[in-house]
């Protein structure tokens, strides 16, 4: 019986691919008020600004590649059942080889109806800009398939169930400051818990017993974790 590893990842796992994190200095929100470019109120207030912001973020995806941390997470699938619960909207886990990825905050590669997000979802090549007047199949304005502040997180229950059934739980590269994703750490009943982050987040003490902090960047920390978990 293969053991189950569940990862909870954040922007830190993609940092070494050149994707800016949100809350480190000079983070993604540089120059933008997050409420203007990543909230449902911002969409109602200025949809064109949001479409332009996400067109830029989508285009940036064309010049980034998975890093050794993404590949190390995928490599664990050789020995374990691996589920990756990610807050990231990039597709670097999938491109790094992970086959079971749950996106909590949506995906830059997809667009959807602005009338009912969970319908008319489709993949749109990164190079195609999002413009006012672009229509979803239901006739509504096409929008990024992203969970904005103020919107529901449709995959949170599925993620909770996965974390609660993990034998090993690994948090990589998240400041754990955004709910409900941050609360997933309390669902862990795993025999082994790890956190990989050069700046160990504040909540680490609240994970309870048997937490191992690997205070390193994702690529180095995942190399260390592979040593531990891939031993015969
Ligand atoms: N390797 C590992 N961790 C890193 C690295 C690295 N190379 N560089 C930075 N980090 C860590 C930081 O120390 C921090 O704990 O990654 C974390 C990044 O935190 P945030 O920028 O807050 O990103 P994240 O936790 O993913 O944000 C959650 O907030 O804005 C919303 O929807 C957005 O999904 C995002 C959510």
């Amino acid at each position: 019986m293969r053991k189950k590893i569940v990862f909870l990842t954040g922007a830190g796992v993609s940092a070494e691919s050149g994707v800016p994190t949100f809350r480190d200095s000079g983070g993604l929100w540089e120059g933008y008020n997050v409420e203007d470019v990543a909230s449902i109120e911002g969409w109602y207030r200025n949809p064109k600004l949001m479409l332009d912001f996400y067109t830029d973020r989508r285009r940036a995806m064309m010049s980034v590649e998975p890093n050794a941390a993404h590949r190390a997470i995928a490599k664990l699938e050789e020995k374990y059942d691996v589920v990756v619960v990610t807050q990231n909207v990039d597709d670097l886990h999938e491109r790094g080889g992970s086959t079971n990825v749950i996106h909590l905050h949506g995906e830059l590669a997809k667009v959807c109806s602005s009338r009912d997000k969970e319908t008319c979802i489709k993949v749109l090549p990164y190079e195609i800009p999002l413009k006012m007047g672009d229509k979803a199949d239901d006739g509504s304005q096409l929008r990024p398939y992203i969970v904005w502040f103020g919107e529901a997180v449709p995959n949170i229950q599925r993620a909770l169930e996965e974390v609660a059934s993990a034998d090993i739980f690994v948090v990589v590269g998240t400041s754990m400051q955004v709910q409900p994703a941050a609360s997933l750490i309390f669902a862990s009943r795993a025999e082994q818990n790890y956190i990989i982050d050069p700046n160990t987040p504040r909540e680490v003490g609240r994970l309870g017993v048997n937490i191992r902090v690997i205070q390193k960047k994702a690529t180095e920390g995942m190399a260390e974790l592979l040593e531990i978990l891939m031993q015969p």
Side-chain angles (χ1 to χ4, degrees):
M1 183 76 166
R2 285 160 57 108
K3 287 199 171 185
K4 179 174 180 178
I5 303 184
V6 177
F7 283 85
L8 171 63
T9 68
V13 79
S14 296
E16 292 159 271
S17 294
V19 180
T21 60
F22 294 94
R23 294 174 182 81
D24 291 326
S25 58
L28 182 74
W29 306 120
E30 192 73 22
Y32 281 105
N33 177 329
V34 68
E35 276 69 36
D36 293 337
V37 290
S39 71
I40 189 62
E41 292 81 10
W43 175 249
Y44 295 139
R45 194 168 44 244
N46 188 344
K48 183 182 180 318
L49 173 68
M50 300 256 296
L51 292 174
D52 293 347
F53 176 74
Y54 280 93
T55 291
D56 290 347
R57 290 188 68 189
R58 287 165 33 86
R59 194 171 291 130
M61 283 294 113
M62 295 168 63
S63 56
V64 298
E65 296 294 330
N67 64 52
H70 297 108
R71 288 192 295 274
I73 290 170
K75 184 162 178 60
L76 285 163
E77 294 189 14
E78 292 172 7
K79 185 177 174 190
Y80 299 90
D81 291 335
V82 182
V83 178
V84 179
V85 175
T86 187
Q87 299 171 87
N88 299 341
V89 293
D90 61 51
D91 55 355
L92 296 176
H93 278 302
E94 292 89 341
R95 289 171 54 201
S98 288
T99 59
N100 191 349
V101 182
I102 299 173
H103 285 270
L104 291 176
H105 295 162
E107 299 174 66
L108 280 174
K110 296 178 181 171
V111 290
C112 63
S113 158
S114 52
R115 185 171 303 147
D116 174 3
K117 275 186 64 191
E118 294 309 311
T119 61
C120 313
I121 301 169
K122 65 180 180 183
V123 173
L124 187 73
Y126 284 134
E127 64 270 18
I128 298 178
L130 280 163
K131 298 186 306 303
M132 291 302 289
D134 290 350
K135 298 289 185 212
D137 294 350
D138 65 2
S140 69
Q141 170 66 51
L142 207 59
R143 57 161 278 181
Y145 184 59
I146 297 289
V147 177
W148 286 324
F149 287 103
E151 293 190 300
V153 180
N155 288 332
I156 193 64
Q157 186 54 39
R158 187 175 152 216
L160 269 168
E161 288 158 10
E162 294 293 0
V163 172
S165 59
D167 298 304
I168 301 168
F169 178 55
V170 188
V171 178
V172 186
T174 174
S175 63
M176 295 196 278
Q177 291 181 40
V178 171
Q179 298 299 353
S183 299
L184 287 171
I185 59 175
F186 305 121
S188 169
R189 302 286 173 273
E191 64 205 32
Q192 296 177 61
N193 293 284
Y194 298 88
I195 283 195
I196 299 174
D197 189 317
N199 315 297
T200 309
R202 286 177 282 109
E203 278 72 12
V204 64
R206 293 159 59 185
L207 248 183
V209 293
N210 192 15
I211 174 75
R212 175 160 172 186
V213 176
I214 302 178
Q215 200 154 3
K216 292 181 177 173
K217 291 185 171 185
T219 52
E220 297 156 13
M222 276 308 306
E224 184 175 320
L225 188 63
L226 272 188
E227 284 289 310
I228 298 167
L229 296 181
M230 290 301 268
Q231 283 168 5

